[in-house]
Amino acid sequence: MTQRRLAALIGTPIEHSLSPTIHQAAFDAAGVDWAYAAFDVAAGRGAEAVAAMRVLGIAGLSVTMPHKHDVATAVDRLDPAALALRSVNTVSWDGDRLVGSSTDGAGFVAALADDGIEVAGASVAIIGAGGAARSVIDAVGRAGAGSIRVINRSTERAASACDLAAMARVGRPDDIAAADLVVNATSVGMGIEPADATSADLPCPVEGLQPSQIVVDLVYHPLRTAWLVAAEQAGARIVDGLGMLIHQAALQQSMWLGTVPDVAVMRRAALDALAARSRRADDTGR
Ligand code: NAP
């Protein structure tokens, strides 16, 4: 009998993470004897968690805030995206060495490809310059975007993020009008239902949005944000944040198992978990 393998999430807080649900659903659907656990690891102790992974023989780690930078210094090798970002969301084994990877940006590009959307040659406007935005800038740069405009509340942070891709420049909110692909990579709109939203819940003014554009929101709670509703009203094609979440997880499993998981199973599990979360929120009057 083969020994059951363990993969795990480390972060804090972790109680709202969809990762355990998504990963376990794909393990079960694949019929592999893998379990997925979630460990609440205090800030500053990410490197110790990597050391524990070595000692315990944990087969794979997903890494979330606040450990992404610490873990990048604790593994033996980084993949190109993790090296550029100095940030790791996945740890896997290569023989007896631990490899740190960053699958968020590649997950974003894979989610668009799954919807038949090609990034190569596109003009891309990215609103935000935090961790998620940096992953997307790095990945769309690698995927051959024609141009990238980075629009952020803090222009210093936008300028620093532009170092990730040769075609990236600091932009202004007006620049969204000229982009093929407009991405909200800020946390603005998170947790706000469109019916309750004000202009403060939009990452930038929506006047420039138009039917020829594809508009993405990385926020996936709620799935249909005020930003996406406004983009749809402007006639644009909209893409929610769940695809990126699912595809970055699918890339993690590909690294751990060496096989491609069933993305449809992962998406269904995530949708069920989000629906259950909304029902609980309704029941408690929130
Ligand atoms: P982060 O590192 O904290 O960055 C937050 C970004 O939002 C910064 O650019 C910040 O601007 C901007 N921002 C925050 N509040 C703002 C406000 N009131 N007005 C204007 N800009 C504001 O967070 P993150 O990790 O990048 O995550 C950003 C969002 O992406 C979150 O909602 C997260 O859930 C989502 N996300 C989704 C996925 C997915 O798979 N779909 C993956 C990762 C993250 P400043 O730089 O000026 O502070």
Side-chain angles (χ1 to χ4, degrees):
M1 208 173 81
T2 56
Q3 199 188 348
R4 184 163 231 214
R5 321 265 351 244
L6 178 69
L9 168 70
I10 60 165
T12 191
I14 50 161
E15 60 269 25
H16 296 302
S17 173
L18 291 174
S19 293
T21 304
I22 295 171
H23 280 296
Q24 194 63 56
F27 288 155
D28 295 347
V32 295
D33 194 11
W34 280 61
Y36 191 92
F39 294 115
D40 196 319
V41 174
R45 305 196 69 177
E48 287 175 73
V50 173
M53 177 184 187
R54 295 181 198 270
V55 174
L56 299 173
I58 292 172
L61 279 187
S62 308
V63 182
T64 189
M65 296 311 288
H67 304 306
K68 290 182 169 187
H69 294 285
D70 287 354
V71 169
T73 65
V75 293
D76 302 316
R77 180 164 68 77
L78 296 172
D79 80 358
L83 187 62
L85 297 163
R86 292 277 155 198
S87 173
V88 160
N89 79 336
T90 312
V91 186
S92 56
W93 289 97
D94 177 13
D96 60 357
R97 288 165 59 81
L98 285 180
V99 183
S101 309
S102 181
T103 65
D104 278 334
F108 173 82
V109 172
L112 292 183
D114 212 19
D115 280 348
I117 299 164
E118 179 65 65
V119 169
S123 55
V124 186
I126 296 166
I127 311 164
R134 290 174 63 84
S135 299
V136 170
I137 293 163
D138 177 68
V140 298
R142 286 173 201 280
S147 67
I148 302 173
R149 291 287 173 274
V150 182
I151 301 152
N152 193 49
R153 179 175 60 178
S154 147
T155 46
E156 269 169 42
R157 240 178 145 191
S160 161
C162 286
D163 292 343
L164 290 162
M167 69 292 274
R169 303 280 180 275
V170 175
R172 299 176 316 158
D174 294 355
D175 292 335
I176 65 169
D180 301 317
L181 187 61
V182 185
V183 184
N184 173 35
T186 73
S187 47
V188 176
M190 192 163 68
I192 308 287
E193 289 299 331
D196 303 327
T198 68
S199 59
D201 301 309
L202 295 168
C204 79
V206 294
E207 283 71 32
L209 297 177
Q210 47 192 288
S212 61
Q213 294 177 312
I214 296 163
V215 176
V216 188
D217 204 333
L218 300 196
V219 171
Y220 53 84
H221 177 63
L223 215 45
R224 208 173 142 73
T225 57
W227 168 247
L228 291 184
V229 169
E232 198 171 51
Q233 282 166 357
R237 177 174 173 190
I238 60 170
V239 177
D240 67 46
L242 201 57
M244 173 175 173
L245 183 76
I246 298 301
H247 279 274
Q248 62 78 28
L251 290 166
Q252 295 187 323
Q253 286 214 6
S254 300
M255 288 172 191
W256 299 334
L257 282 89
T259 53
V260 179
D262 187 333
V263 172
V265 165
M266 296 173 113
R267 187 172 177 89
R268 173 51 47 206
L271 284 170
D272 288 349
L274 286 171
R277 198 177 281 180
S278 294
R279 279 196 301 276
R280 279 196 303 276
D282 287 345
D283 289 349
T284 54
R286 280 193 292 131

